[in-house]
Amino acid sequence: FTGVKVDDQPKTVNKEDSENQRIIKELNKNEPHEITEDFTFKRPTAFIFNGCAYTELENWTTFFIQFVACAAKINPAKIKEMAEMPELISKQNKKYYSTDKKDIRKPAKIMNDFYVETNLSANDFAKRMIEILNQLGMKTSDITIYLRQDRNA
C-alpha cells in the first residue's frame, strides 16, 4: 500500500484568496527548494506555483499530479501536445504523457484524454516538471518546493 488515494482530485486554488496568501506567508518561513535540486530520500510537503500554494502533499506522486493539473489549467492545449512529442519518450520506449492510458504503466488522469506516468523516482518527477515548465515557456524558478523536516536529523 503506497498511501496514494486514487480517487482524490487535484484541488483548485485561487491566487487572490486570503487563505492562499496566508499559506504562502507561512510557507515562506520555511526553507524553499528549487526543482533543479537532488530529491533523493526527500519528501515534499507543499509547493507554490503560479501564485498558488498547495499543501498537505503526502508524496511525490500526489505532488506531481497536483502540479500537472495546475499546469493544465494554464494552457491545456500545450500540455496535451506533450503526449505526441517523441523526445518525451523514455529509453525503454515508454511514454511519460499520453492520450491513451494503456500507453502508460501507472497512469494518472489529469484531464479528458490526458494521462501522466506516476511510476517514477523523486528526481524523475522533477525532470518531468521541468519539461512541463519548458513546454509552457516558464522558468524553473516559477515553482518553489517545500520539503518535510527530517525526523532523524
Side-chain angles (χ1 to χ4, degrees), residues 108-148:
K109 185 176 183 175
I110 302 301
M111 56 186 158
N112 285 344
D113 299 339
F114 187 76
Y115 301 87
V116 293
E117 177 62 76
T118 59
N119 187 33
L120 302 169
S121 71
N123 289 321
D124 283 335
F125 278 126
K127 288 176 193 171
R128 304 294 78 83
M129 287 185 261
I130 291 169
E131 290 169 354
I132 291 168
L133 288 169
N134 290 337
Q135 178 72 3
L136 294 174
M138 300 177 90
K139 301 178 294 243
T140 57
S141 60
D142 290 335
I143 183 170
T144 306
I145 299 168
Y146 297 90
L147 302 174
R148 294 186 190 283

Side-chain angles (χ1 to χ4, degrees), residues 9-32:
Q9 292 296 316
K11 67 180 182 177
T12 302
V13 175
N14 180 352
K15 280 188 208 185
E16 310 306 322
D17 185 37
S18 61
E19 179 68 6
N20 181 58
Q21 298 303 320
R22 186 196 64 75
I23 291 170
I24 289 174
K25 284 180 186 173
E26 192 65 32
L27 286 174
N28 284 335
K29 294 177 184 176
N30 299 326
E31 183 181 349

